[in-house]
């Protein structure tokens, strides 16, 4: 050991070990940051899918309602209408999107976003169905948005891992 210190090889080896440890720490912290960024991106993707899917569901429901009213006026069953079935297929597509969102984001975040469907339905109904948007509808929409925001804001940031142990 004395020969290593006197020749300078020991200090190089110690420096090399310290550098390797520091590099390993940086690699693990970079891996942790990458995992956190991927988790955040995954959550954002899941939330985006849920929002779009719920808007699609609202559009489909409004189209079904309009087509059902048209069929009733003409005296034909709505189940014989291609438009009604198209709207039904659109709703199924929206529900599949909602289901897919659970794969990317925690349920505690995706479930409250179902309120987007209520909000978008109340707004779209005034345009598609010609329904009146009253002040109490606006107030209810504000309450739904505030409640959804609070649920998403205070939701857990990571899911609890569950395992089967007897």
């Amino acid at each position: 050991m004395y020969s290593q210190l006197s020749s300078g090889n020991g200090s190089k080896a110690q420096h090399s070990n310290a550098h390797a440890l520091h590099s390993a720490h940086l690699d693990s912290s970079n891996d942790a940051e990458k995992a956190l960024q991927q988790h955040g991106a995954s959550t954002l993707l899941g939330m985006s899918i849920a929002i779009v899917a719920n808007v699609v569901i609202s559009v489909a429901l409004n189209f079904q309602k309009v087509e059902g009213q048209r069929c009733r006026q003409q005296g034909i069953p709505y189940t014989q209408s291609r438009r009604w079935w198209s709207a039904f297929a659109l709703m199924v597509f929206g529900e599949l999107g909602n289901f897919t969102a659970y794969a990317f984001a925690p349920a505690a975040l995706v479930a409250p976003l179902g309120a987007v469907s209520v909000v978008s339905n109340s707004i779209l109904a005034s345009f598609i169905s010609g329904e009146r948007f009253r002040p109490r509808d606006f107030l209810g929409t504000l309450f739904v948005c505030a409640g959804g925001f609070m649920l998403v804001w205070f939701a857990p940031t990571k899911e609890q891992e569950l395992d089967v142990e007897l």
Side-chain angles (χ1 to χ4, degrees):
M1 179 153 154
Y2 178 74
S3 64
Q4 286 179 342
L5 289 176
S6 63
S7 67
N9 291 339
S11 64
K12 285 183 182 177
Q14 289 173 348
H15 177 71
S16 176
N17 287 340
H19 180 69
L21 286 174
H22 181 68
S23 295
H25 176 70
L26 285 178
D27 287 344
S28 66
S29 66
N30 286 342
D31 290 343
E33 286 178 19
K34 286 179 186 176
L36 185 61
Q37 287 174 350
Q38 288 175 347
H39 178 69
S42 174
T43 300
L44 185 61
L45 177 64
M47 291 174 62
S48 300
I49 291 171
I51 290 169
V52 170
N54 282 307
V55 170
V56 167
I57 291 167
S58 296
V59 169
L61 284 172
N62 278 289
F63 283 149
Q64 276 188 313
K65 179 180 179 184
V66 168
E67 186 59 21
Q69 290 172 343
R70 187 186 69 80
C71 288
R72 189 177 321 120
Q73 289 171 352
Q74 292 179 353
I76 59 172
Y78 64 87
T79 55
Q80 293 180 358
S81 168
R82 285 187 177 180
R83 288 185 206 163
W84 188 89
W85 283 108
S86 297
F88 181 79
L90 188 62
M91 186 184 348
V92 169
F93 180 72
E95 291 293 352
L96 287 173
N98 218 358
F99 180 72
T100 304
Y102 284 99
F104 295 102
L109 293 176
V110 174
L113 291 174
V116 169
S117 140
V118 174
V119 172
S120 61
N121 191 33
S122 67
I123 294 169
L124 289 173
S126 63
F127 294 109
I128 297 173
S129 303
E131 293 182 13
R132 206 176 103 217
F133 193 72
R134 299 171 295 219
R136 72 177 181 183
D137 297 332
F138 179 74
L139 184 62
T141 301
L142 284 179
F143 282 139
V144 168
C145 289
F149 174 77
M150 289 175 61
L151 284 170
V152 169
W153 186 261
F154 294 112
T157 55
K158 70 176 196 177
E159 285 195 30
Q160 181 180 2
E161 294 292 325
L162 300 176
D163 57 355
V164 180
E165 287 188 22
L166 298 176

